[in-house]
Amino acid sequence: MTETFSYRCITFYRSFVAYTSHRLQELGLSFGVLFLLVYVGKHPDCTQGELTQALELDWGYCQRSVVKLVEDGFLLRERKGRAYHLDLSEKGREAFELSHQFFSDWDEQVLGALGEEEREQLFVLLDKVKTKEGISDPCTRPF
């Protein structure tokens, strides 16, 4: 049987979850909140509504996750007008930096057999597929 692209994507996803989950637990985080933390780190002073919409999350799930991240000291939440604005606390900034290191370390582990030119070619091809499918990526867009 020929492997499909979707199967390979899921395999990489599961590998990344396994790789990062243990490290996140050491920080007191779960994989489920990783991208909330990354988004707020890349978009300081965002609102909860912006976070929910950008990550395409259920409002209730996002609300519970933000409250937990605030209670655990990773996020700061301040009411400005009618909306809550979010920022990273010092503990959140440390976790944000370490999360980026997890991404880099996993990339190196998985892509270590590829040369620089092969990596660039892989990213160009993946971007082409992503663009064709209209997939957005709010966590990794530049500021």
Side-chain angles (χ1 to χ4, degrees):
M1 179 176 128
T2 304
E3 289 183 9
T4 63
F5 179 68
S6 57
Y7 175 80
R8 289 177 187 233
C9 288
I10 295 298
T11 301
F12 279 118
Y13 173 77
R14 292 183 68 176
S15 171
F16 181 71
V17 170
Y19 183 83
T20 57
S21 289
H22 175 70
R23 288 160 185 80
L24 289 168
Q25 286 174 353
E26 292 173 356
L27 300 173
L29 293 168
S30 67
F31 186 80
V33 297
L34 173 63
F35 290 99
L36 281 81
L37 189 73
V38 170
Y39 184 86
V40 174
K42 289 192 170 271
H43 303 88
D45 201 41
C46 67
T47 66
Q48 269 187 251
E50 291 166 352
L51 174 67
T52 302
Q53 184 176 15
L55 297 182
E56 299 176 354
L57 297 173
D58 171 75
W59 178 259
Y61 170 79
C62 189
Q63 173 70 16
R64 288 187 304 276
S65 297
V66 165
V67 167
K68 176 98 169 93
L69 288 168
V70 170
E71 288 173 353
D72 291 346
F74 292 100
L75 289 183
L76 303 171
R77 184 173 73 163
E78 180 183 351
R79 188 168 186 104
K80 295 181 184 176
R82 296 177 59 195
Y84 282 104
H85 289 251
L86 305 172
D87 226 327
L88 296 178
S89 65
E90 184 59 37
K91 184 177 178 181
R93 279 190 283 285
E94 290 173 16
F96 175 74
E97 295 298 325
L98 286 170
S99 296
H100 276 279
Q101 189 61 50
F102 301 158
F103 279 80
S104 297
D105 292 348
W106 186 80
D107 281 3
E108 193 55 44
Q109 179 179 318
V110 172
L111 303 176
L114 300 179
E116 189 62 36
E117 191 174 306
E118 290 172 311
R119 287 182 189 203
E120 288 177 23
Q121 183 180 13
L122 174 62
F123 291 139
V124 165
L125 292 171
L126 289 172
D127 284 343
K128 186 175 182 178
V129 169
K130 187 171 79 171
T131 301
K132 182 180 183 313
E133 290 302 311
I135 299 170
S136 65
D137 195 355
C139 289
T140 57
R141 280 193 294 241
F143 293 100

